[in-house]
């Protein structure tokens, strides 16, 4: 950061390069959401909280923080490759900015293609009118990114459905028990909440959830 400020104060950073850096900084949140594992993680965490019936615990800030750090953990090999193959050579002046940006997209595209369903990718290829390529890496980001996002949404919602099942079973058992006892005026959700929390804590739910999320990425 200090090197950047020194270059800016000394006027050594070209105007066009500064515009590129500012644009990249502005697009960084969108890149994190659309081109990393963040979307699937935050969807799964939200479904888990809703399935347990605790609407505000953990708070949204905590869920986003967990999702960001799990994303950093999952994406660390990709980040390391970008640093070694693109940023460090660019920093040493061995390549132009355009070449560095092109190299940066390669590890991200490889990660997205490894986690994108083939049928989904082919669907977006057909919709875009793009010719079929032997190497999927030859497809542009305008095809790969929406295919990856669609796959992530699908897998996130499927994981949410599977997470809901055991908690739904607890709700059904509690509601049936209350009805058989004639306690129809007592809200089943109030009684089932402690049992769902006990179930989640007993099976070490958070550790199982996090390990399952990490294992779900290739």
């Amino acid at each position: 950061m200090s090197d950047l400020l020194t270059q800016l104060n000394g006027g050594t950073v070209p105007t066009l390069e500064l515009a590129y850096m500012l644009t990249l900084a502005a697009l960084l949140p969108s890149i994190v959401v659309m081109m990393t594992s963040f979307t699937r993680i935050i969807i799964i965490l939200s479904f888990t909280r809703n399935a347990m019936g605790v609407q505000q615990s953990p708070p949204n800030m905590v869920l986003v923080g967990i999702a960001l750090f799990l994303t950093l953990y999952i994406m660390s090999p990709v980040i390391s490759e970008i640093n070694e193959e693109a940023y460090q050579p660019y920093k040493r002046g061995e390549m132009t900015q355009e070449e560095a940006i092109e190299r940066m997209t390669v590890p991200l595209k490889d990660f997205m293609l490894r986690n994108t369903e083939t049928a989904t990718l082919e669907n977006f290829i057909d919709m875009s009118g793009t010719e079929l390529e032997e190497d999927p890496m030859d497809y542009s980001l305008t095809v790969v990114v929406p295919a990856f996002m669609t796959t992530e949404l699908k897998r996130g919602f499927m994981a949410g459905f599977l997470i809901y099942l055991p908690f739904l079973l607890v709700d059904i058992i509690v509601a049936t028990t209350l009805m058989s006892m004639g306690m129809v005026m007592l809200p089943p959700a109030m009684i089932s909440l402690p049992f769902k929390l006990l179930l989640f804590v007993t099976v070490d739910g958070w550790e199982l959830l996090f390990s399952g999320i990490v294992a779900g990425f290739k």
Side-chain angles (χ1 to χ4, degrees):
M1 188 65 181
S2 59
D3 295 339
L4 177 60
L5 291 175
T6 301
Q7 291 178 342
L8 291 175
N9 292 331
T12 59
V13 177
T15 303
L16 186 58
E17 185 173 346
L18 178 59
Y20 278 139
M21 289 188 293
L22 293 177
T23 303
L24 182 61
L27 293 177
L28 186 59
S30 299
I31 293 174
V32 171
V33 172
M34 295 186 300
M35 303 174 68
T36 69
S37 57
F38 179 84
T39 298
R40 190 197 306 185
I41 295 173
I42 195 64
I43 289 174
I44 293 175
L45 294 178
S46 298
F47 269 114
T48 303
R49 183 177 66 179
N50 293 335
M52 286 191 292
V54 284
Q55 300 301 322
Q56 297 299 327
S57 184
N60 290 331
M61 184 179 297
V62 175
L63 290 186
V64 172
I66 294 173
L68 284 173
F69 276 94
L70 283 177
T71 300
L72 182 62
Y73 179 80
I74 293 170
M75 301 296 296
S76 57
V78 178
I79 296 173
S80 298
E81 186 176 352
I82 291 175
N83 180 59
E84 294 174 2
E85 299 295 331
Y87 178 71
Q88 291 299 331
Y90 171 71
K91 188 177 179 181
R92 293 192 297 265
E94 298 175 359
M95 63 176 64
T96 64
Q97 188 177 61
E98 290 75 13
E99 293 174 337
I101 293 176
E102 185 176 352
R103 285 198 183 185
M104 286 179 182
T105 61
V106 173
L108 282 173
K109 187 186 292 186
D110 179 63
F111 171 80
M112 288 188 288
L113 288 171
R114 281 188 281 112
N115 291 279
T116 301
E117 294 182 348
T118 304
T120 304
L121 179 61
E122 291 176 351
N123 184 36
F124 277 93
I125 293 172
D126 292 338
M127 288 191 295
S128 65
T130 304
E131 295 183 359
L132 293 176
E133 303 285 353
E134 294 184 3
D135 186 1
M137 290 293 292
D138 294 334
Y139 292 118
S140 65
L141 288 176
T142 56
V143 172
V144 176
V145 172
F148 171 72
M149 285 293 298
T150 303
T151 302
E152 288 296 280
L153 290 172
K154 177 181 177 180
R155 290 176 177 171
F157 275 77
M158 180 60 68
F161 168 74
L162 297 176
I163 290 171
Y164 251 99
L165 290 180
F167 295 111
L168 180 61
L169 181 61
V170 173
D171 285 331
I172 293 174
I173 293 174
V174 170
T176 304
T177 304
L178 292 176
M179 186 175 297
S180 65
M181 296 173 62
M183 305 173 66
V184 294
M185 299 300 294
L186 190 62
M190 182 185 302
I191 306 301
S192 64
L193 177 59
F195 291 101
K196 290 191 287 187
L197 292 177
L198 179 62
L199 172 65
F200 193 73
V201 172
T202 302
V203 300
D204 200 2
W206 289 117
E207 184 174 347
L208 287 175
L209 183 64
F210 295 160
S211 60
I213 289 174
V214 173
F217 288 92
K218 300 177 184 179

